[in-house]
Amino acid sequence: MSLPLARRMDGVTSSPVRDLLALTARPGVISFAGGMPAPELFDVDGLRAAFDRALDCEPGRRALQYSPTEGNPRLRELLAERLSDRGLPTTVDDLLVTTGSQQGLQLLSTALLDPGATVLVEEPVYLSALQCFQLAEARIVPVPGDSEGIDPAALDEIAARERPALLYLVPTFSNPSGRTIGPDRRRALAEVIARHGFWLVEDDPYHELRYRGEPEEPMSARPELAGRAVNLGSFSKVIAPGMRLGWLRAPSELLRRVAILKQATDLHTSTVDQAAAAEYLAAADLDAHVRTLRATYSARRDAMLAELPAITPPGTTWTDPDGGMFVWVTLPGGANTDLLLPEALRHDVAFVPGSAFLVGEPDRSALRLSFATHAPETIAEGLRRLGKALPAAF
């Protein structure tokens, strides 16, 4: 006889990216599935020196001790300066350090959503955000859009009908589509959000990975959204995901409630990792490191886009992202990428089927490819393998 389990887990689906990690870890597999930073670009020497400084003598004892839930004050100060320089005026008191930005999403889901509350999302949508909203037992409603992101008129209509608690967006280099919402549409969306009076949760982990064009102002900086916007960020894409360091910028009352939730979750994020991150930000030239990431990933994006016409059938379309890590590919003629994946794995190449990122009727003709992990020649070989497997999709 099985013992009872919590009902709230019934609607929570597993992440196909997490499930694929074990399959793609075997030797010889070229994986475009995960949004994995290139490991050869990790600043191992700089991080080792930062940890050494963090653990030096008396500061080291503090770095190994319990710490405030809100996070290391020096790290928050450095983060506030960096966010302010990006056009999002921020103070230490606006920030809470999280164990990756994914924890920030989970904490916000608990703080903002009662069971049955409505969450609006773009489509396709970051699938781990869906897990958080499912766990909160929210109603998830997609908002139609186009190549520039969600449609403000559609948002207006759906918000009037659904009375949502929040809108979740990755407006800059979206995961999984790679698209970016432009300034005019950001302004129009902000006006809709303010008029209907719900929260914006802006997930912004890719902001610094821009390969062309001018930086967009964070949506959280829009004056219409003062007091109703939350900005999530992460060091995973520009320093290292293994440190599990993110942050949440929010109005004071919400931040206080989120801090209480974090106390109940893990007391605080790793003290020693926070101390090392503060040392790293203070001593390293992170901007120079980011320039290296941009140059490398830009070349890898270009290699993927150059190879796609040769391996896909006529009528295939794909996004051409200005930054980030992902290309969204749509095959023609009723293709089914769920059926394609097993055949692709037999050819030692992996991707994520597009159906995983959709709330409504799944579009089985789409797939997400990440270009960040592999060198251009490996990307070309992986796409050639994918091309050999493609007949299985039809």
Side-chain angles (χ1 to χ4, degrees):
M1 174 175 146
S2 60
L3 295 174
L5 302 174
R7 180 183 57 80
R8 72 174 64 89
M9 289 296 297
D10 291 349
V12 183
T13 55
S14 178
S15 164
V17 177
R18 301 291 105 191
D19 296 340
L20 277 169
L21 282 179
L23 293 172
T24 59
R26 72 174 189 262
V29 174
I30 298 173
S31 178
F32 302 125
M36 311 277 276
E40 72 274 15
L41 299 181
F42 295 153
D43 183 7
V44 175
D45 291 339
L47 288 170
R48 181 184 292 113
F51 274 96
D52 284 345
R53 290 192 300 274
L55 290 170
D56 184 43
C57 199
E58 185 56 34
R61 292 184 175 88
R62 290 197 300 272
L64 296 171
Q65 186 56 277
Y66 288 112
S67 71
T69 299
E70 290 78 7
N72 181 300
R74 186 178 179 215
L75 176 59
R76 288 156 60 213
E77 181 180 346
L78 292 164
L79 273 173
E81 291 175 4
R82 197 163 184 86
L83 290 172
S84 297
D85 288 344
R86 277 184 6 203
L88 185 59
T90 303
T91 70
V92 169
D93 294 334
D94 296 326
L95 293 170
L96 179 139
V97 178
T98 57
T99 306
S101 61
Q102 184 66 29
Q103 185 187 53
L105 264 177
Q106 185 61 59
L107 294 172
L108 287 170
S109 297
T110 304
L112 297 177
L113 301 174
D114 291 318
T118 298
V119 173
L120 303 184
V121 299
E122 58 191 330
E123 277 203 308
V125 59
Y126 173 51
L127 55 88
S128 292
L130 293 180
Q131 288 181 307
C132 291
F133 303 144
Q134 290 167 348
L135 190 59
E137 301 180 77
R139 292 180 61 249
I140 305 171
V141 177
V143 180
D146 54 26
S147 61
E148 296 181 40
I150 68 170
D151 178 8
L155 178 64
D156 198 10
E157 177 186 344
I158 292 172
R161 183 178 72 241
E162 299 288 348
R163 300 178 63 84
L166 65 86
L167 168 66
Y168 170 77
L169 279 182
V170 185
T172 305
F173 317 135
S174 176
N175 177 1
S177 71
R179 68 192 178 191
T180 295
I181 299 174
D184 291 342
R185 188 166 293 198
R186 289 181 187 228
R187 181 173 58 255
L189 292 171
E191 290 169 354
V192 173
I193 294 166
R195 183 162 60 250
H196 290 280
F198 52 89
W199 288 95
L200 170 70
V201 175
E202 178 183 26
D203 201 354
D204 200 20
Y206 308 103
H207 185 100
E208 298 196 71
L209 298 181
R210 173 173 286 278
Y211 315 132
R212 64 173 173 236
E214 294 301 315
E216 299 286 354
E217 178 187 64
M219 278 194 67
S220 301
R222 293 291 315 171
E224 303 93 332
L225 298 178
R228 66 176 72 258
V230 183
N231 183 275
L232 296 171
S234 174
F235 284 133
S236 292
K237 305 304 186 288
V238 296
I239 298 182
M243 292 181 77
R244 304 310 304 134
L245 288 176
W247 59 88
L248 185 153
R249 178 193 181 276
S252 58
E253 177 58 22
L254 175 57
L255 202 68
R256 185 185 70 81
R257 291 179 177 236
V258 170
I260 293 170
L261 284 168
K262 184 167 171 60
Q263 290 170 10
T265 301
D266 64 358
L267 302 183
H268 59 78
T269 295
S270 166
T271 312
V272 67
D273 285 342
Q274 290 188 69
E279 292 290 344
Y280 186 79
L281 287 180
D285 188 344
L286 182 56
D287 290 334
H289 180 66
V290 168
R291 286 194 292 272
T292 299
L293 297 179
R294 288 172 178 164
T296 303
Y297 293 160
S298 176
R300 294 178 180 192
R301 176 205 57 188
D302 293 347
M304 178 167 282
L305 296 178
E307 189 69 26
L308 281 170
I311 66 107
T312 55
T316 303
T317 61
W318 50 82
T319 55
D320 181 0
D322 291 334
M325 292 184 164
F326 304 106
V327 172
W328 182 256
V329 179
T330 304
L331 298 172
N336 188 330
T337 58
D338 293 331
L339 298 178
L340 172 61
L341 180 59
E343 182 65 16
L345 288 169
R346 281 192 283 275
H347 284 79
D348 286 332
V349 63
F351 62 88
V352 185
S355 58
F357 303 95
L358 298 170
V359 178
E361 186 66 28
D363 180 359
R364 302 193 187 281
S365 66
L367 60 150
R368 188 193 76 175
L369 300 173
S370 174
F371 53 79
T373 311
H374 300 294
E377 59 272 18
T378 305
I379 289 173
E381 171 58 26
L383 289 179
R384 284 192 288 269
R385 295 179 188 180
L386 182 61
K388 293 176 182 176
L390 273 176
F394 297 93

